[in-house]
Amino acid sequence: MAFRHHDHVDKQFGEQAGAYLTSAVHASGRDLVMLGERLCSSANARVLDLGCGAGHASFVAAQHVKEVVAYDLSEKMLALVAQTARERGYHHLITQQGYAEKLPFAHGEFDVVISRYSAHHWQDVGAALREVRRVLKPGGRAIFIDVNAPGNPVLDIWLQTVEALRDTSHVRDYSPGEWLTLFTESGLTIGSISHDRLELEFNSWIERMRTPPVMVQAIRAYQHSAPNDVQRYFALEADGSFTTDIIFIEASRL
């Protein structure tokens, strides 16, 4: 079952690699600025970008550290990352394919593991975080950035539903409490958590994933039926655009 899901994720994102490279949501943002600030004093670090997608976090890391391994399930994404890295002169950035839940690296290979907007597609985030701990050196850091679900059940189910209708490879946006549990159970020690809001323009959001028209219609119908408290929380606009929460987690392996 897990491997069928992985194959589905590979197909979904491989076909949209170029759209993710040029996506404004992915190519910019306060979270990328924060990531650069966290890595600017790590000139000798070896960094793993777990679920690198089109490579935006990898490219930020490459500006500050000694070596970056951009790791993803999608061959097409990795080919795009490798090409872009060459064009930008990031010759210390390499790519490698594989699953988040089973990393092909030795114990303690990395100083830092980063991940941005990827974990909500993973089949088993707990297993992936245990792998993160394994490949980190003692004292190494993990920095995770992702959409996060509100703790409120009504808001949570609304977000999960529109995400799954838009992208059938979606697994779950985790709440802050769930993230705390996942990190703690993996053996990683959380140092800080911060939050922000992310505006999602509807047309580019669905076009990026090539969401089928029938699913787009379902999303719009579901949005129109949303109660007032849901519409307020997600700042739902007439054209379908909305705003969601993101979480920035910093943890370490003791």
Side-chain angles (χ1 to χ4, degrees), residues 53-122:
H56 300 297
S58 293
F59 302 146
V60 168
Q63 297 171 36
H64 302 286
V65 304
K66 184 177 181 179
E67 183 182 357
V68 179
V69 178
Y71 183 87
D72 201 87
L73 182 59
S74 168
E75 286 187 15
K76 291 181 180 179
M77 282 285 195
L78 292 174
L80 183 64
V81 171
Q83 176 186 336
T84 306
R86 287 193 298 270
E87 293 171 352
R88 297 184 183 184
Y90 298 144
H91 303 298
H92 56 304
L93 188 157
I94 62 173
T95 61
Q96 188 159 343
Q97 184 186 22
Y99 304 115
E101 297 89 347
K102 189 173 178 61
L103 301 179
F105 306 110
H107 292 248
E109 270 199 52
F110 294 96
D111 301 284
V112 185
V113 176
I114 62 177
S115 185
R116 180 176 185 255
Y117 298 150
S118 179
H120 59 272
H121 294 287
W122 300 349

Side-chain angles (χ1 to χ4, degrees), residues 31-249:
D31 60 296
L32 282 180
V33 174
M34 287 178 62
L35 179 63
E37 291 171 350
R38 299 304 190 271
L39 296 175
C40 66
S41 60
S42 303
N44 294 317
R46 187 167 189 243
V47 173
L48 172 65
D49 183 3
L50 187 53
C52 66
H56 300 297
S58 293
F59 302 146
V60 168
Q63 297 171 36
H64 302 286
V65 304
K66 184 177 181 179
E67 183 182 357
V68 179
V69 178
Y71 183 87
D72 201 87
L73 182 59
S74 168
E75 286 187 15
K76 291 181 180 179
M77 282 285 195
L78 292 174
L80 183 64
V81 171
Q83 176 186 336
T84 306
R86 287 193 298 270
E87 293 171 352
R88 297 184 183 184
Y90 298 144
H91 303 298
H92 56 304
L93 188 157
I94 62 173
T95 61
Q96 188 159 343
Q97 184 186 22
Y99 304 115
E101 297 89 347
K102 189 173 178 61
L103 301 179
F105 306 110
H107 292 248
E109 270 199 52
F110 294 96
D111 301 284
V112 185
V113 176
I114 62 177
S115 185
R116 180 176 185 255
Y117 298 150
S118 179
H120 59 272
H121 294 287
W122 300 349
Q123 184 79 7
D124 190 338
V125 173
L129 286 173
R130 291 190 292 274
E131 281 288 87
V132 168
R133 183 187 182 281
R134 182 184 65 78
V135 302
L136 276 173
K137 296 176 181 177
R141 294 182 291 153
I143 302 173
F144 271 57
I145 304 160
D146 207 353
V147 173
N148 77 268
N152 179 287
V154 173
L155 300 175
D156 179 279
I157 194 63
W158 190 88
L159 177 64
Q160 309 298 344
T161 301
V162 296
E163 289 266 44
L165 288 170
R166 179 239 182 188
D167 170 16
T168 54
S169 72
H170 175 75
V171 175
R172 177 163 181 77
D173 294 322
Y174 296 93
S175 70
E178 288 172 317
W179 276 117
L180 283 169
T181 299
L182 287 163
F183 268 84
T184 301
E185 290 181 346
S186 74
L188 292 165
T189 301
I190 294 178
S192 68
I193 294 178
S194 56
H195 301 272
D196 204 346
R197 298 276 280 170
L198 179 68
E199 297 177 8
L200 295 168
E201 193 276 322
F202 187 77
N203 286 333
S204 60
W205 182 63
I206 59 170
E207 288 171 3
R208 192 160 55 243
M209 190 45 65
R210 298 182 186 175
T211 304
V214 65
M215 294 299 198
V216 175
Q217 293 167 11
I219 294 170
R220 294 298 282 134
Y222 192 58
Q223 289 180 327
H224 290 146
S225 71
N228 290 336
D229 54 347
V230 170
Q231 294 193 37
R232 283 194 301 271
Y233 187 87
F234 291 105
L236 187 57
E237 299 178 17
D239 68 351
S241 301
F242 65 100
T243 300
T244 190
D245 299 310
I246 62 172
I247 194 166
F248 192 107
I249 304 173

